[in-house]
């Protein structure tokens, strides 16, 4: 398939509300990160090798899937984040229509975007071979950065994975 430039892919097409476009991008990223999760497991990401969800030594992520945020192994965090994103995106309460989305849903999209980005960061800093294989195929890091800049999904200071 021919590579579609980010300048075409990221901005909302004419006639599509930016919030709807963000929602659709995050649904797609959730699907793709499921494939990364499989690569991570195959590359040795287990509760024993990655008992905490970390990126760098400074970044330990707590899992929001519990009554109070809690430490989880990276594998559990990834599963919880993907399950939570999928449940949210398929929620008739929060998203009764994929064609018309209330601007108030922005807070949900930002929260999910941060959690999904953490999966990418963990892969980059702890499973570089799997990350590189996945990134070469998907350009996910660049898309996350560009989406975050365009729609303020993930704050700049939290975008810790470099991209070329």
């Amino acid at each position: 398939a021919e590579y579609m430039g980010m300048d075409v892919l990221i901005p909302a097409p004419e006639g599509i509300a930016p919030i709807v476009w963000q929602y659709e991008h995050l649904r797609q990223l959730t699907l793709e990160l499921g494939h990364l999760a499989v690569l991570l497991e195959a590359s040795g990401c287990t509760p024993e090798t990655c008992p905490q969800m970390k990126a760098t030594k400074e970044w330990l992520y707590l899992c929001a899937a519990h009554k109070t945020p809690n430490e989880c192994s990276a594998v559990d965090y990834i599963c919880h984040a993907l399950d939570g994103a999928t449940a949210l995106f398929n929620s008739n309460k929060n998203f009764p229509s994929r064609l018309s989305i209330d601007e108030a849903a922005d807070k949900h999209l930002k929260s999910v975007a941060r959690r999904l980005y953490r999966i990418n960061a963990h892969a980059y800093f702890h499973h570089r071979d799997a990350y590189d294989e996945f990134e070469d195929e998907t350009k996910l890091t660049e898309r996350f950065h560009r989406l975050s800049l365009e729609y303020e999904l993930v704050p700049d200071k939290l975008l810790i994975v470099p991209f070329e």
Side-chain angles (χ1 to χ4, degrees), residues 17 19-21 23-24 94-106 109:
I19 190 108
V20 171
W21 197 238
Y23 169 84
E24 290 300 336
N94 292 305
F95 299 103
S97 168
R98 287 176 55 189
L99 302 175
S100 175
I101 296 175
D102 189 315
E103 291 293 328
D106 184 58
L109 298 182

Side-chain angles (χ1 to χ4, degrees), residues 42-99:
S43 75
C45 186
T46 67
E48 293 74 35
T49 60
C50 298
Q52 297 176 310
M53 182 59 173
K54 294 182 108 177
T56 66
K57 289 179 182 168
E58 294 84 38
W59 292 97
L60 169 65
Y61 303 119
L62 297 179
C63 183
H66 309 274
K67 286 188 182 203
T68 57
N70 202 358
E71 281 189 31
C72 274
S73 70
V75 169
D76 288 342
Y77 183 102
I78 291 166
C79 289
H80 294 160
L82 293 174
D83 288 348
T86 301
L88 177 72
F89 294 141
N90 290 312
S91 162
N92 286 330
K93 177 184 170 206
N94 292 305
F95 299 103
S97 168
R98 287 176 55 189
L99 302 175

